[in-house]
Amino acid sequence: MEPKALKSDLVLILDYGSQYTHLITRRIRSLNIFSLCVSGTSPLDTIISLNPKVIILSGGPHSVHSPNSPTFPSGFVEWAQSNGCFVLGICYGLQLIVQRLGGEVRVGEKQEYGRMEIEVGRNLGIFGNKNVGDRQMVWMSHGDEAAQLPEGFEVVARSQQGAVAAVEYRENRFYGLQYHPEVTHSPEGMDTLRHFLFDVCGVGANWNMENVVDEEIKVIKGTLGPEDHVICALSGGVDSTVAATLVHKAIGDRLHCVFVDNGLLRFKERERVMETFERDLHLPVTCVDASDQFLSKLKGVVDPEMKRKIIGKEFISIFDAFAHDLEQKLGKKPAYLVQGTLYPDVIESCPPPGSGRNHSHTIKSHHNVGGLPKDMKLKLIEPLKLLFKDEVRQLGRILNVPEAFLKRHPFPGPGLAVRVLGDVTEGNALDILRQVDEIFIQSIKDAGLYDSIWQAFAVFLPVRSVGVQGDQRTHSHVVALRAVTSQDGMTADWYYFEHKFLDDVARKICNSVRGVNRVVQDITSKPPSTIEWE
């Protein structure tokens, strides 16, 4: 999916490094408005080429006074004004507008972090749906504040401490909020964004998954030649399956799917997935058993980033070999490889500060984003790369992918390699983890909790613990259980199991899985952790 192909008003977010930046993207999409996030230092030509109707400048950890603090490109203000583009600055974005347009930003006498009450001073523009004197709780996170506004701007809200909370210059379509409306800690924040986008900016709610299907099929057909054949890497997860189904709808029998057993799959995953592909999805799939190949390359490797890159490289070598065999059969070499890369994969694989491309830190690299070898012979097609997980599920429903399959919890491309902390080939770590994970997931299903949890899995920890089993001292392994709730994987909270459920699961694991004598639960949200352990 390419942004230019979408027939909808685009809200473009310029990212200056806030941990909430991509939450803005997701919140706006929930209003049936297409939003896209790019680096805050993107060239003006890039911004112009996307033709946004609204631009949002995100928050960030920087101060406008810091050397080399990120900013929008030269000519941005003039272009926005001359082309009727609306601009909203949030937190750092507000301060950037104030400073660049001739105002003054200085260190606040009273810094504001966390919940803070603000009061509406003018019911115009961004607060046109509020009354003067209305108060609301918002989420602040700033040390600097706007001290003097540029010519033409006016204050429309202040915090209870008197700091500027919202500004606007309606004639030139520039607006600013010192707080974060996108977070749930600002209860009326979505109401403010909704009013701003629909009533102030006149954006239409005309973006939906039906449009995505139609446009993506056009893009796929336009990318491929009429004789081109395509390989699709099926992992057994929702993402690659929906991607395959979409490409199959576009090009039919010229799609050739391959499922790789890399030795890092869950309990009976290969058998279960292949049955689903054949019985329910009717996709032509070749299964390649490459367990020995992957595990031999992973022997002795403990660094999670190295694991990911090794696995990515081996996947591509297998796909290249599959393409070679297919060429012998078809008399024509496949030119493309389909992968189910999602928007969170792209976001979390962004370069670190100083690269000139983005101002947030790399969280992790993905085998289908950051681990591809430079000499890969197949060109990539990633039809879902601008979509979040829940949007992919919506797309799958339109494509008639079975609901039970769409509801499957996400499973990482590197498989159990990122759930065994340490060397995956050491001892019987993989076998232990498979058994523990199966008990955990089946217990969740039996309790009717599976659909209420975004992702659940077990982790093999690189520690042993003293225990007592059968009146004997044991020195066995420790496993961790993780279950989270989330909307799109960008943020997550741990799932609150009842104590009886955890007690029952722990007993089953310790009584059924040889080599485990202790079970712990991960109760960390994202942030500060990621969802996977690695």
Side-chain angles (χ1 to χ4, degrees), residues 436-505:
V436 171
D437 189 75
E438 177 70 7
I439 292 171
F440 184 36
I441 299 303
Q442 190 57 53
S443 296
I444 288 173
K445 291 179 178 178
D446 292 343
L449 303 175
Y450 190 80
D451 293 343
S452 301
I453 296 171
W454 194 81
Q455 188 177 25
F457 56 89
V459 181
F460 184 91
L461 302 180
V463 294
R464 288 178 180 267
S465 170
V466 173
V468 178
Q469 292 172 298
D471 294 325
Q472 294 182 353
R473 180 184 184 277
T474 60
H475 190 233
S476 299
H477 298 287
V478 181
V479 294
L481 306 180
R482 181 149 174 76
V484 299
T485 57
S486 179
Q487 188 174 39
D488 47 44
M490 295 305 301
T491 60
D493 198 4
W494 58 281
Y495 186 81
Y496 290 70
F497 288 111
E498 292 184 0
H499 288 174
K500 185 179 185 305
F501 174 87
L502 291 173
D503 180 44
D504 288 345
V505 170

Side-chain angles (χ1 to χ4, degrees), residues 93-354:
L94 176 149
Q95 296 167 12
L96 199 55
I97 289 174
V98 170
Q99 189 224 36
R100 288 292 302 273
L101 272 67
E104 180 186 356
V105 176
R106 65 187 177 203
V107 177
E109 294 182 4
K110 296 180 179 180
Q111 297 180 340
E112 297 178 325
Y113 298 100
R115 288 184 175 86
M116 181 69 64
E117 189 175 62
I118 67 169
E119 181 176 326
V120 176
R122 302 289 299 275
N123 60 340
L124 300 170
I126 201 164
F127 285 130
N129 61 337
K130 304 293 183 183
N131 296 317
V132 173
D134 280 357
R135 298 183 177 185
Q136 59 179 286
M137 295 300 296
V138 301
W139 188 258
M140 293 283 196
S141 181
H142 68 100
D144 292 347
E145 66 178 27
Q148 182 177 337
L149 299 185
E151 183 179 351
F153 280 80
E154 58 184 326
V155 177
V156 292
R158 289 186 180 274
S159 73
Q160 65 188 55
Q161 297 187 143
V164 171
V167 302
E168 60 184 52
Y169 186 179
R170 280 172 290 125
E171 288 77 8
N172 282 7
R173 296 172 295 277
F174 273 77
Y175 301 79
L177 296 173
Q178 185 57 71
Y179 64 91
H180 290 274
E182 70 275 16
V183 302
T184 55
H185 302 303
S186 298
E188 297 182 53
M190 278 302 294
D191 181 47
T192 299
L193 284 176
R194 185 181 294 106
H195 172 75
F196 174 71
L197 293 171
F198 291 140
D199 300 312
V200 176
C201 304
V203 176
N206 52 13
W207 185 72
N208 54 56
M209 286 300 109
E210 286 80 5
N211 291 342
V212 172
V213 171
D214 295 339
E215 293 296 342
E216 186 55 40
I217 288 176
K218 291 179 183 177
V219 170
I220 293 169
K221 289 182 176 179
T223 300
L224 303 177
E227 303 296 327
D228 284 340
H229 285 256
V230 179
I231 293 173
C232 182
L234 283 176
S235 68
V238 175
D239 309 333
S240 61
T241 300
V242 172
T245 304
L246 184 60
V247 175
H248 189 259
K249 186 176 179 67
I251 65 172
D253 293 341
R254 288 186 288 136
L255 173 69
H256 308 273
C257 300
V258 56
F259 175 75
V260 179
D261 183 351
N262 59 3
L264 301 165
L265 302 178
R266 290 170 291 190
F267 185 77
K268 293 187 177 180
E269 178 83 351
R270 174 176 169 178
E271 296 87 344
R272 293 169 177 173
V273 165
M274 288 301 295
E275 182 181 2
T276 300
F277 287 152
E278 296 170 1
R279 182 190 63 197
D280 299 323
L281 302 176
H282 309 296
L283 289 172
V285 185
T286 299
C287 181
V288 176
D289 187 348
S291 302
D292 293 341
Q293 179 177 336
F294 277 84
L295 295 180
S296 65
K297 292 295 178 67
L298 289 169
K299 185 174 180 59
V301 179
V302 298
D303 179 74
E305 283 297 291
M306 184 60 67
K307 288 180 186 178
R308 285 181 175 275
K309 294 186 183 300
I310 289 172
I311 291 169
K313 184 176 181 179
E314 292 309 307
F315 267 124
I316 297 302
S317 69
I318 290 171
F319 301 147
D320 276 341
F322 181 75
H324 178 74
D325 292 342
L326 199 58
E327 180 182 7
Q328 305 305 309
K329 297 177 182 178
L330 300 173
K332 180 179 179 64
K333 185 175 182 178
Y336 292 88
L337 170 67
V338 178
Q339 287 194 146
T341 308
L342 300 193
Y343 200 34
D345 297 339
V346 176
I347 289 169
E348 293 193 337
S349 299
C350 66

